[in-house]
Amino acid sequence: MGTVSGACHPAGVTVADQIEDLTAALPAPPAGEDLQPVRDRLAEAAERAVALLDGHSAERALPLRLPKGRVLDLLSCERLAVARHAGPADGGGASVALLRGQALDRFVQHELHEGPVAHPLEDLLAMVHAEGDLDLGDELAAAGADLRLEPLAAAARDWAGTDPGWWPRTQSAVAVHLADGLVRCEGRIDVELGGPLTGRPSVVVEVKVGRPHASHLGEVTHYALLVALRDGVAPSLLARWYPGTSLAHQVVTLDTLDSAARRLADMIVSWAQLQAGRPATERSGPGCAWCPDADRCPSFRPPPDPFDTEPEEVPA
Amino acid sequence: MSAAASEGARRELAGRAAARLGEALDLALGDTFRATAKRPRDGAGWFDVSGHDLAAPCPARWSVAGDDFVLSTRTVAGALGRLALRERHPDEPPGAAVDRVAGDLFAAEADAFYIDWFEGLDRAGRAAVRAAATTWAVGALAAVGGRELRWQTTRRTCNVADRAVRLRGGCDALDRVARPEVLVVITGRALGDDAVRVRAGFEALVDGMPRRQTVDRVRMGSAASAVTRAFPVTEELLDAAIGRVAELAAYRAVPDSAPAVPGRWCGDCPQLEVCPEGSALMAAGGA
Ligand code: SF4
Ligand code: SF4
C-alpha cells in the first residue's frame, strides 16, 4: 500500500517539500466512471437503510447521519456508537489528548496563514475565542501546562513555506448524500491541498497527535472515499502528519476506495438496523477508554496501550 | 417565450408575491407592527427576518426580540471570503486573496460589519479568521465549479410595505453572464432539505420585490458536496417563503403562541434561565 509511517524526517525537510516530492510522479487517481461501482455500492446500502426505517416508528432517524466520528465508533464497537449518539461522553470535558489534538490543528492553521506561533497558549486561546468557542477556551485554559504546547507549536513549523498555489485550506467540509439526501455521510478534513480547480494533484492530510494507530488509517481512507465522490476524482495522495515525523502516506487506488466503500456501506446498514431497534453488539478495544457505557458494560476491558500497536493495515 | 414576455412574467410574479406577502402579514400581525414612520436607524419597534431566521428551530426563542448575533470566525468567514473572491485577481489563489484584502480591510471594504472586531483581534485571532475565510472561499468556488460570478459583499434588504418588518437577504453571488437572472447562495445544508427550497424562495423574494421583477432561478450551492441545485422561481417557490415569513411574524406578534422546541440550540439561548423546556433538557445533560 506504500505506507511510510513514523520515520523521523531529516532536519529542514518541510511538509511542503515532502508533498512536492511525493506528488511529482504520481499515477492518475481513479476518476469519473472508475468510481461508479463505488457509488453503486453505497447507493444500494443507502436504499436498504432507508427501506429499514421508512414508514416505521424508526422513521424519525431519517435523515440517517453518519459523520466520520460515528463511522469510526461503529467500526470500533456498536454499543459505543449508540451510547455516544445518545449523549455526551461524560460530564468532565475533553481529555488532555483530545485538547492537544485541537491545539495542533490550530497551530498548523496558524503556520499556514500567519507563520510561526509565538506564544502557544495565548495564541491558541486567541484563535479559539475568535471562533467563539468559549467552552473550549475554558477547558484549554484550565488544562494549562498539562497540554505541553511548546513542542506542538515547534513541530507545526514543519508546515512553513507551503506554496499558496496549493490552495491550502483547513477544516474543509466534505459530504456525500445518498438516497435523495436521506443518508448523509459527512466529515471535516484537517488540511486539503490541490484539487480540481488548482491545477495540482489533490492531497488530503490528517493532523495527528501521538503515535500512528489503525483507526487513523481507516479515517484517511474514509476521507479519500468522500473526497473522490465529492470531486469526481480521488485524491492523488493521502497522508497523516504526526509531529516530528515524515508524512505517513499512501497513493489512492481503486482498491483503497472499494475497501472504504465496503466498510461504509456496512456501517450505513448497521446504523439503520440499530436505529430500528436491533440490539448493539459489544466489542472491547481502545474505545473502552472513552466509552460512556464503560461503567456498566459487561464486555468492558481496560483499553490496550495504543503504543503497543503499530498497525499498517486498514481493518477489513 | 420571448425575452420581453419573460421579463413581463417575472414582473407579474414579483407583483403578485408582494401582494400575497402583504395579505399573509395582515393575517399574521393584525394591527401590530404597522409602519407609521421611517425605520429608525437602530430598528427599534421593527423586526427583521433573515435567511438564517427561516430555519430557526425554536419558535419560542425566535418570538422574543433580541440580538444574539455574535461575531466569530463562523459568522465572518463567508463575508471575508466573498470579499476576497470579489477582489481576486485571475489565477490568484483564494487564500492569497483573503490575506491581501484582510491585510488592508479599510481599503477593501471600509464599512464591513466586522471591521472593528477583526481589527481588534491579535495576530492569532486574525489567522483563525483568515483560515476560515479561505476554506469558505475555496468551498464556494468548488460548489460553483470555478465559474466566474459577481460575489456580493453587501446584503440586500427589503422593507415590507406598510409593515415594521424588514427582510434581509443573503445572496452570495450573481451570475456574471446572465445577471440578473440567477442568484447564487452557498449553504451548509444538504440541498435536498426543504429548508433549502424555502431559503431559495426567500432570496428570490428579497431580491425581486424592490426591483419589481424576480430572477429566473436561485442556485443553491453546497461547498461540502461541491454541487449546486437550481430552483426556478415560481409562484409556488415564493409562496413557500411567504408562508414561513408569515409564520415567524405570527410568533413575534403573539409570543405565547410560539411553542418551545428544545435542542442543542438551548445552550446559547438568552431565555434558557426562564425556559422550563430548555432548562429540563440541560438538566438532563443536553441534547
Ligand atoms: S465498554 Fe467497551 S465493549 Fe463496552 S460498549 Fe463501551 S467500547 Fe464497547
Ligand atoms: S431554552 Fe431552548 S426551548 Fe427554551 S426558548 Fe431557548 S431554545 Fe427554545
Side-chain angles (χ1 to χ4, degrees):
Chain A
M1 204 181 291
T3 305
V4 178
S5 184
C8 281
H9 61 73
V13 178
T14 63
V15 172
D17 293 336
Q18 294 174 65
I19 287 173
E20 297 283 356
D21 283 353
L22 291 169
T23 54
L26 285 175
E33 284 303 303
D34 299 344
L35 303 174
Q36 198 54 45
V38 164
R39 279 186 204 284
D40 291 346
R41 186 188 292 281
L42 291 175
E44 196 185 310
E47 296 297 341
R48 271 182 68 197
V50 171
L52 273 167
L53 299 171
D54 209 6
H56 306 294
S57 58
E59 197 174 39
R60 62 183 155 57
L62 293 174
L64 197 71
R65 292 179 189 279
L66 284 112
K68 176 209 70 181
R70 184 158 303 143
V71 173
L72 296 182
D73 284 347
L74 282 166
L75 277 169
S76 170
C77 168
E78 284 187 351
R79 182 169 168 178
L80 165 71
V82 172
R84 277 163 57 103
H85 177 58
D90 56 52
S95 67
V96 166
L98 213 67
L99 293 174
R100 294 187 85 227
Q102 299 266 6
L104 186 60
D105 282 340
R106 286 170 180 83
F107 291 158
V108 170
Q109 214 171 61
H110 195 288
E111 185 65 53
L112 285 169
H113 291 275
E114 184 67 45
V117 171
H119 309 289
L121 183 59
E122 210 176 293
D123 289 352
L124 176 60
L125 291 176
M127 295 181 84
V128 169
H129 287 152
E131 291 163 18
D133 196 339
L134 303 183
D135 290 344
L136 178 58
D138 289 346
E139 288 189 55
L140 291 163
D146 290 350
L147 296 172
R148 289 173 289 116
L149 296 176
E150 281 74 12
L152 297 182
R157 294 252 53 212
D158 278 5
W159 287 85
T162 304
D163 177 356
W166 281 100
W167 295 27
R169 59 268 186 205
T170 51
Q171 302 302 318
S172 55
V174 57
V176 172
H177 297 148
L178 304 159
D180 291 331
L182 291 175
V183 176
R184 300 178 183 179
C185 308
E186 293 160 339
R188 212 162 264 283
I189 297 171
D190 286 340
V191 185
E192 266 196 275
L193 303 121
L197 295 177
T198 68
R200 301 194 185 198
S202 156
V203 180
V204 165
V205 186
E206 277 300 285
V207 169
K208 293 290 174 199
V209 168
R211 298 266 301 268
H213 189 271
S215 64
H216 300 169
L217 201 47
E219 212 170 314
V220 282
T221 51
H222 179 64
Y223 281 141
L225 175 66
L226 298 188
V227 169
L229 298 178
R230 180 193 66 187
D231 295 349
V233 50
S236 297
L237 189 72
L238 277 185
R240 289 163 287 146
W241 178 71
Y242 301 90
T245 67
S246 300
L247 286 174
H249 67 276
Q250 70 183 97
V251 172
V252 182
T253 63
L254 259 184
D255 282 349
T256 318
L257 299 177
D258 191 51
S259 132
R262 267 189 286 119
R263 258 194 344 261
L264 179 57
D266 287 350
M267 295 308 121
I268 290 170
V269 175
S270 296
W271 188 241
Q273 290 169 339
L274 291 168
Q275 296 304 301
R278 170 168 74 70
T281 57
E282 291 155 9
R283 190 161 69 155
S284 61
C288 294
W290 56 83
C291 178
D293 279 2
D295 57 352
R296 66 202 92 124
C297 168
S299 307
F300 170 81
R301 292 257 168 74
D305 180 350
F307 287 73
D308 290 344
T309 55
E310 192 64 33
E312 288 298 319
E313 298 302 321
V314 184
Chain B
M1 199 187 280
S2 73
S6 171
E7 268 190 28
R10 288 191 280 122
R11 274 201 294 272
E12 272 180 36
L13 206 51
R16 285 199 302 272
R20 282 197 313 282
L21 177 65
E23 287 161 17
L25 288 181
D26 283 348
L27 274 177
L29 296 173
D31 276 336
T32 63
F33 293 102
R34 290 232 177 259
T36 51
K38 204 165 158 259
R39 186 182 197 270
R41 279 180 75 85
D42 64 359
W46 285 53
F47 69 86
D48 292 5
V49 180
S50 70
H52 177 73
D53 294 326
L54 299 178
C58 175
R61 178 172 177 169
W62 153 261
S63 71
V64 178
D67 183 7
D68 52 6
F69 180 78
V70 175
L71 286 161
S72 71
T73 53
R74 206 168 50 80
T75 51
V76 168
L80 182 56
R82 284 191 300 278
L83 178 62
L85 292 178
R86 190 191 75 186
E87 298 294 319
R88 180 174 167 238
H89 305 314
D91 299 328
E92 185 180 23
V98 167
D99 290 350
R100 187 166 52 76
V101 296
D104 193 354
L105 253 186
F106 281 101
E109 187 95 325
D111 57 354
F113 68 87
Y114 50 89
I115 197 162
D116 292 339
W117 173 78
F118 182 78
E119 297 295 335
L121 294 172
D122 68 7
R123 187 169 159 258
R126 286 202 289 264
V129 180
R130 295 211 314 270
T134 299
T135 301
W136 190 93
V138 175
L141 280 179
V144 301
R147 194 184 170 92
E148 276 198 29
L149 299 170
R150 292 160 53 97
W151 295 93
Q152 303 294 293
T153 55
T154 49
R155 296 310 208 183
R156 283 143 203 255
T157 58
C158 156
N159 295 343
V160 181
D162 304 326
R163 289 287 174 188
V165 178
R166 169 173 282 188
L167 307 184
R168 288 186 9 233
C171 161
D172 290 316
L174 301 172
D175 188 299
R176 190 182 279 276
V177 180
R179 186 180 186 271
E181 313 303 336
V182 183
L183 306 176
V184 179
V185 181
I186 306 297
T187 173
R189 292 178 176 276
L191 297 183
D193 278 0
D194 199 50
V196 170
R197 187 178 68 92
V198 175
R199 174 75 188 274
F202 180 78
E203 296 301 336
L205 194 66
V206 179
D207 170 81
M209 287 204 306
R211 294 194 305 113
R212 298 171 194 276
Q213 177 171 315
T214 64
V215 291
D216 261 356
R217 291 185 306 286
V218 178
R219 195 168 269 282
M220 302 294 289
S222 159
S225 40
V227 287
T228 61
R229 178 174 172 194
F231 291 86
V233 177
T234 61
E235 206 130 337
E236 203 189 0
L237 189 80
L238 294 165
D239 278 350
I242 290 168
R244 180 60 178 153
V245 170
E247 190 178 13
L248 291 172
Y251 293 144
R252 209 37 95 84
V254 188
D256 285 348
S257 70
V261 178
R264 63 188 150 70
W265 40 87
C266 293
D268 65 353
C269 175
Q271 297 165 62
L272 179 58
E273 278 183 18
V274 294
C275 170
E277 290 87 348
S279 303
L281 182 79
M282 286 303 169

